[in-house]
Amino acid sequence: MKIHEYQARQLLASAGIPVPAGTVIESVEDAAGAFKQATAMQPSPLAVIKAQVHAGGRGKAGFVKLVKTAEEATAAARFMLSNRMKSPQTPAEGLEVTKLLVASAADIAQRRGGGNEEFYLAVTTDRKTRRNVLIASREGGVEIEQVAHDRPDAIIKEPLHPLLGLQRHQATTVAFALGFRGKQVAQATQIMAALAKLFVDKDCTLAEINPLIITPPTARHPDGEVLAIDAKFSFDDNGTFRHPDIQAMFDPTEENPAEAKARRFGLSYIALDGQIGCLVNGAGLAMATMDIVKLHGHGKGGSGGVEPANFLDVGGSATEEAVTEAFKIILSDQRVKGVLVNIFGGIMRCDVIAQGIVNAARSFVNPDGSKGFKVPLVVRLEGTNVDEGRAILKNAKAEVPTMQAATDLADAANKVVAAVG
Ligand code: GDP
Ligand code: MN
């Protein structure tokens, strides 16, 4: 589960990490008021308007905007609420923006050699070392992905002790390595400690601040102030039941609609990038199906090979209705050029799946209004009631002309790859 930046800022603030104040608006009319509120205490008003969507890369896409007047705030809000946010982290069609954060903008100190004092700071789990890890860089901000790719040495990785977490000496070492000096060091180490603690306390899979900045010196902060001005959190879905405060931050409108629909029918659907829709039962069989589609699809069908477009796990006890829904969900993805059904009937009976396939084919309406499946469909059934299942499919051959039966998993993968390739 992910949350919005404004919610992430609330979490940071509750952990004692300094963030500029802000409010959330949902309409253009509220922009001027929110701007005045955000800049009330400032000698020269400067606010930042930020689209609240579950994706990064907003700055480069024009969905983070510094504004000096209420009129500029209104114009920025109008732009963001009436355009979809597109970045490398969003689907190609972009994301609808319904909420904006209007925050008081931070002044960012300049580095001696030029550039902003922007840092990257995150805690996540490193699967290789099987430890949580603090990741930090002096090259924070909108180019961090590029930096990580081109200059991996500019990224510091500090493994965290499984029980002790981030230790004081580690935080201090990282703070100095990042170039913090004077009173900044204590501020930065306190922020790192609080972030590492939040990560564990809230069952996060990612707790990220980017950028962490230094403000220019003031009378109150002669070395400048270290502030978080953007944050991103992801949580382990298996842990959210322990955190009603995190559950309350759930925003259903940010979910993949197909995944949300699947959940309502007790199905689990995962969208991927390829061309083959996969209907399977059980997580292990789903993984094996992904692997075998990739293996047999490698180098086929033009650029990049034939790959899974998604997988939909109907679980152990889906009804005919759920299987029918499963097909609708899979075929609602325009990228799906073929469907592979791979069922090993244990608790799930093959005849239920077969009847679900036939029902779905009967009731399925194509975008052009015609009825029935148009895409190639390859079915591999094995296990409980397999003979009944195969008989149902055989009898329905006329209704589902694009359907082929497969003898085993390799045969199924080959057939579906050949059908779309
Ligand atoms: P992202 O692009 O989605 O990660 O959005 P960010 O909130 O990180 O903003 C992108 C960039 O905009 C930052 O790296 C900053 O350079 C700039 N920016 C964002 N907020 C402020 C602010 O309050 N003051 C200033 N001066 N720049 C900001
Ligand atoms: Mn950012």
Side-chain angles (χ1 to χ4, degrees):
M1 177 189 150
K2 292 179 180 171
I3 57 174
H4 287 294
E5 177 199 357
Y6 76 92
Q7 298 166 320
R9 284 172 168 233
Q10 289 165 5
L11 269 186
L12 294 184
S14 71
I17 298 176
V19 286
T23 49
V24 176
I25 62 166
E26 295 186 24
S27 75
V28 177
E29 292 72 53
D30 294 336
F35 172 84
K36 284 182 189 125
Q37 196 181 328
T39 55
M41 312 294 275
Q42 297 174 336
S44 49
L46 188 65
V48 60
I49 319 277
K50 313 181 76 174
Q52 300 296 291
V53 286
H54 287 184
R58 297 166 303 168
K60 286 188 174 176
F63 285 75
V64 170
K65 203 145 176 27
L66 290 168
V67 292
K68 290 200 194 73
T69 62
E71 291 69 38
E72 283 179 21
T74 303
R78 182 171 292 120
F79 170 81
M80 291 183 202
L81 290 172
S82 54
N83 286 283
R84 294 175 78 88
M85 205 290 272
K86 289 181 200 166
S87 84
Q89 297 181 30
T90 67
E93 69 276 16
L95 296 172
E96 189 187 358
V97 181
T98 61
K99 294 188 189 74
L100 303 177
L101 172 66
V102 182
S104 103
D107 230 346
I108 306 178
Q110 295 293 302
R111 288 195 179 140
R112 221 172 271 146
N116 283 346
E117 288 280 20
E118 297 195 24
F119 302 83
Y120 179 90
L121 202 59
V123 181
T124 187
T125 304
D126 181 0
R127 287 166 194 269
K128 267 203 204 102
T129 57
R130 293 186 285 170
R131 273 172 176 64
N132 295 336
V133 60
L134 176 74
I135 302 174
S137 177
R138 192 172 155 69
E139 311 298 329
V142 296
E143 299 293 346
I144 189 68
E145 282 88 5
Q146 200 61 36
V147 172
H149 181 265
D150 298 346
R151 293 162 42 216
D153 51 302
I155 311 285
I156 300 170
K157 290 187 181 169
E158 190 68 28
L160 306 188
H161 188 282
L163 299 175
L164 301 176
L166 179 70
Q167 293 173 267
R168 183 184 276 270
H169 69 88
Q170 293 181 295
T172 310
T173 307
V174 172
F176 278 113
L178 291 174
F180 288 104
R181 294 292 177 261
K183 290 204 161 65
Q184 298 161 3
V185 176
Q187 297 178 56
T189 54
Q190 182 261 324
I191 290 171
M192 288 179 213
L195 193 67
K197 185 168 183 313
L198 263 184
F199 178 86
V200 174
D201 286 353
K202 300 295 182 190
D203 289 315
C204 298
T205 54
L206 175 71
E208 178 190 273
I209 299 174
N210 184 36
L212 182 75
I213 59 130
I214 309 178
T215 64
T218 57
R220 238 179 94 212
H221 298 280
D223 289 339
E225 199 180 357
V226 183
L227 293 180
I229 64 169
D230 185 23
K232 189 154 111 189
F233 281 82
S234 304
F235 302 93
D236 181 345
D237 292 336
N238 295 313
T240 44
F241 76 96
R242 309 205 287 188
H243 308 290
D245 56 333
I246 304 298
Q247 279 175 35
M249 293 179 173
F250 179 68
D251 181 353
T253 63
E254 288 289 322
E255 270 201 299
N256 177 318
E259 292 184 8
K261 189 165 180 219
R263 188 158 334 124
R264 279 203 299 281
F265 284 90
L267 308 164
S268 52
Y269 172 87
I270 307 290
L272 302 166
D273 299 319
Q275 311 90 320
I276 308 291
C278 299
L279 191 150
V280 295
N281 65 326
L285 194 60
M287 293 303 120
T289 307
M290 302 294 101
D291 284 350
I292 204 140
V293 168
K294 283 195 173 217
L295 179 68
H296 289 273
H298 186 75
K300 307 272 171 61
S303 65
V306 175
E307 297 211 343
N310 53 50
F311 70 82
L312 196 148
D313 178 1
V314 295
S317 56
T319 58
E320 276 175 32
E321 291 75 52
V323 174
T324 307
E325 278 315 308
F327 268 101
K328 286 192 191 152
I329 292 167
I330 287 180
L331 292 171
S332 70
D333 181 346
Q334 299 297 311
R335 290 170 304 185
V336 170
K337 301 287 179 276
V339 177
L340 172 57
V341 176
N342 185 20
I343 297 294
F344 187 84
I347 302 169
M348 168 58 85
R349 290 165 16 218
C350 291
D351 54 321
V352 169
I353 291 285
Q355 196 58 54
I357 295 174
V358 175
N359 292 353
R362 275 192 196 125
S363 61
F364 189 74
V365 181
N366 292 285
D368 64 5
S370 60
K371 274 199 166 183
F373 289 166
K374 290 272 166 66
V375 300
L377 173 66
V378 176
V379 183
R380 181 254 179 175
L381 293 178
E382 209 56 75
T384 308
N385 289 6
V386 65
D387 294 334
E388 290 87 333
R390 287 187 181 147
I392 290 170
L393 294 180
K394 207 165 164 209
N395 292 335
K397 187 75 188 128
E399 286 176 278
V400 200
T402 63
M403 181 171 62
Q404 307 176 60
T407 50
D408 59 28
L409 196 39
D411 182 44
N414 270 323
K415 279 185 171 144
V416 79
V417 167
V420 307

